[in-house]
Amino acid sequence: MSYVDEIYAKVVEQNPGEAEFHQAVKEVLDSLKLVIDANEEKYRKMALLERMVEPERIISFRVPWVDDNGQVQVNKGYRVQFNSAIGPYKGGLRLHPSVNQGILKFLGFEQVFKNSLTGLPIGGGKGGSNFDPKGKSDREVMAFCQSFMTELSKYIGADQDVPAGDIGVGAREIGFLYGQYKRMTGLYEGVLTGKGLNYGGSLVRTQATGYGLVYILDEMLKANNKELAGKTVVISGSGNVAIYATEKAQQLGAKVVALSDSNGYIYDKDGIKLDVVKDIKEVRRGRIKEYVNTVPSAVYTEGKGIWTIKCDIALPCATQNELNLEDAKALKANGCFAVAEGANMPSTREATDFFLESGMLFMPGKAANAGGVATSALEMSQNSQRLAWTFEEVDAKLKDIMVNIFAKADDAAKRYGVAGNYVAGANIAGFEKVVDAMMAQGIV
Ligand code: NDP
């Protein structure tokens, strides 16, 4: 059995019931096979892959809080500190009922390579809880966040582990978490990113993942003699990533015709009116179906099916495994030629393989959504310097980082004889830097 197959079999055996983690490890290891086979003896002796797939530490804790009826509720809280070879752990906190240890391990594992790709000194981690902020009052969300941070504050710090937002964690939650961290530790430091602008946040952080996604999409299109202007785009989700991907795609001349949430999707043949979506999602915390109340010419469809809409470019920006083989085939049949992932692992393994085999341009989330964490790292730099850069400065740095990520993935794919396979390219480029650092630091 090859080293890669051996490690994958061990991961499945030793991490039962963690399907998403198995899936992420398999995708990464398969695409690294060329590199690993070439260095097998050295890596085996150092148990490099065994160490790579085992988190340095997982903290799991109880989160008790009191709801508005005076009832005590208990949620599960986690922080997976996956790999600190190239910097302090960095990665978001997810609040969603589907959260469990396996999902956070998949996200933390992916984060290690993503963070490496940005070229910035950040290790990989991820955390969260099965708490559902949807339908909760502000006071309930605050009570949960304070209880969660009371425990988490023992394990994080500006030079140790710096969490950020993810699904269900936006400006409101980061504010409550930061307030409690400060209260517990007495430290006013850059321990969280995605903070409000008045207390250490960075301009562009809110827009960063969506903007970065479109910057790297644009780069991939240009490298393949295509352009974004004039193209029709379908985007799933209507949260932070989807909204700002829509904004940047529209600024660059594309027409975005669909958005969704977990209940259904809207289709607006004239192009999505983003101010309407922002009002529904960012101000009123409503559902995407409300869009048709303001724009009656648009159509709302309950349930899945967004990938059957005809488009040139698809940007999945909601959640893991939201786009399967059938969806991938429907996209291709309707003329879609490029897919870039705003969400983490939104395409199933079969869908990803189909994109690559059918010659579609495909940029995996690890590279495509790295603009969020990259701008978080820029927030950390500003906090350390006690300075705030202008919107234009941060945006220019973000764009530069995304252009560089494309170049690294493109170059690594070419070096290993799989030109145009940006999945392999991104994994190889991210992996090389982490391996070098792990080798240099001895058996830790
Ligand atoms: P938000 O919570 O702001 O939005 C998530 C969106 O996806 C919502 O529209 C939500 O709909 C939808 N969604 C969530 N779960 C499901 C589901 N199970 N089925 C269908 N739709 C779903 O999150 P973000 O925009 O921040 O994150 C979206 C993705 O991008 C995630 O994969 C995240 O890990 C990834 N990402 C985010 C980064 C960031 O900076 N925010 C950085 C890098 C990656 P509903 O409201 O109905 O739940």
Side-chain angles (χ1 to χ4, degrees):
M1 211 192 267
S2 75
Y3 189 28
V4 162
D5 292 338
E6 211 176 280
I7 293 302
Y8 178 65
K10 265 194 209 158
V11 164
V12 173
E13 185 196 323
Q14 294 175 1
N15 301 272
E18 297 185 346
E20 291 85 359
F21 180 52
H22 304 165
Q23 182 184 344
V25 169
K26 181 145 184 59
E27 184 233 274
V28 170
L29 291 186
D30 281 353
S31 67
L32 291 173
K33 208 165 184 315
L34 289 167
V35 189
I36 293 167
D37 286 350
N39 295 282
E40 177 160 347
E41 201 180 328
K42 185 170 66 170
Y43 289 175
R44 262 187 195 279
K45 189 158 193 307
M46 297 292 281
L48 190 95
L49 294 187
E50 286 85 339
R51 287 189 283 148
M52 199 76 116
V53 298
E54 192 64 42
E56 287 176 19
R57 187 175 306 103
I58 299 180
I59 299 132
S60 150
F61 51 94
R62 170 172 86 198
V63 190
W65 56 280
V66 182
D67 72 16
D68 285 348
N69 297 320
Q71 174 65 48
V72 176
Q73 302 285 345
V74 181
N75 287 98
K76 286 176 177 292
Y78 306 90
R79 185 72 181 163
V80 179
Q81 297 183 330
F82 219 112
N83 191 309
S84 61
I86 62 171
Y89 310 104
K90 183 92 198 84
L93 295 173
R94 177 176 291 194
L95 298 183
H96 193 271
S98 64
V99 165
N100 58 41
Q101 186 169 293
I103 289 191
L104 296 177
K105 279 167 72 178
F106 124 62
L107 290 163
F109 183 69
E110 291 270 300
Q111 195 83 44
V112 174
F113 303 103
K114 180 190 305 187
N115 292 2
S116 167
L117 262 181
T118 65
L120 301 165
I122 38 180
K126 198 83 188 187
S129 170
N130 60 354
F131 173 79
D132 187 0
K134 236 180 273 163
K136 303 285 192 301
S137 69
D138 284 353
R139 195 211 61 80
E140 288 177 320
V141 171
M142 181 173 75
F144 169 83
C145 288
Q146 290 183 340
S147 179
F148 183 85
M149 184 50 89
T150 300
E151 188 60 26
L152 186 68
S153 62
K154 299 170 189 165
Y155 308 100
I156 61 175
D159 294 315
Q160 186 182 0
D161 183 352
V162 184
D166 189 70
I167 291 179
V169 178
R172 175 182 62 171
E173 291 75 17
I174 292 289
F176 293 148
L177 291 163
Y178 189 69
Q180 186 69 0
Y181 177 84
K182 192 160 56 71
R183 185 192 203 184
M184 297 298 300
T185 62
L187 296 171
Y188 203 105
E189 60 172 13
V191 69
L192 290 166
T193 56
K195 297 186 292 299
L197 295 177
N198 291 332
Y199 62 95
S202 173
L203 286 162
V204 193
R205 177 61 189 91
T206 304
Q207 296 86 350
T209 308
Y211 277 22
L213 169 66
V214 177
Y215 288 146
I216 201 167
L217 166 71
D218 194 37
E219 207 57 24
M220 173 171 76
L221 295 180
K222 280 192 209 142
N224 289 279
N225 302 313
K226 298 192 179 336
E227 61 169 10
L228 183 55
K231 299 294 182 298
T232 300
V233 182
V234 165
I235 300 182
S236 64
S238 48
N240 173 267
V241 181
I243 286 176
Y244 291 96
T246 303
E247 185 164 286
K248 185 51 73 178
Q250 290 178 338
Q251 285 172 7
L252 298 187
K255 185 178 180 186
V256 179
V257 294
L259 287 174
S260 64
D261 60 22
S262 52
N263 294 109
Y265 61 93
I266 49 161
Y267 172 66
D268 186 341
K269 62 176 180 355
D270 302 319
I272 296 286
K273 279 117 200 114
L274 199 55
D275 53 336
V276 176
V277 177
K278 283 187 180 176
D279 180 56
I280 296 169
K281 289 291 172 183
E282 295 185 335
V283 181
R284 294 192 277 121
R285 296 181 188 274
R287 308 307 298 159
I288 200 68
K289 69 175 171 201
E290 293 164 36
Y291 183 86
V292 297
N293 301 341
T294 315
V295 187
S297 57
V299 180
Y300 173 73
T301 308
E302 191 79 15
K304 295 182 189 296
I306 190 169
W307 307 120
T308 59
I309 296 172
K310 187 171 167 49
C311 64
D312 302 307
I313 295 165
L315 304 178
C317 295
T319 194
Q320 64 272 2
N321 292 326
E322 53 161 312
L323 194 164
N324 62 25
L325 179 60
E326 203 185 316
D327 300 323
K329 286 182 175 167
L331 284 169
K332 172 87 179 165
N334 278 330
C336 174
F337 64 84
V339 178
E341 297 182 325
N344 284 309
M345 206 168 74
S347 313
T348 63
R349 176 61 190 267
E350 295 75 24
T352 299
D353 288 346
F354 177 83
F355 291 140
L356 295 175
E357 283 156 16
S358 65
M360 289 169 75
L361 299 175
F362 178 69
M363 188 56 70
K366 195 173 290 118
N369 68 32
V373 73
T375 309
S376 276
L378 300 179
E379 183 174 330
M380 289 165 73
S381 301
Q382 293 170 78
N383 290 163
S384 300
Q385 292 182 316
R386 304 209 186 283
L387 287 174
W389 302 333
T390 63
F391 190 97
E392 289 70 25
E393 269 177 286
V394 183
D395 193 32
K397 287 188 203 307
L398 167 64
K399 191 164 180 189
D400 211 36
I401 289 168
M402 298 314 294
V403 168
N404 272 319
I405 291 176
F406 176 78
K408 281 185 214 165
D410 189 43
D411 167 67
K414 286 177 179 153
R415 269 193 287 124
Y416 281 88
V418 286
N421 181 340
Y422 305 121
V423 176
N427 282 330
I428 294 168
F431 178 79
E432 285 177 333
K433 182 175 171 187
V434 179
V435 167
D436 277 358
M438 285 176 72
M439 289 293 205
Q441 291 171 22
I443 313 302
V444 292

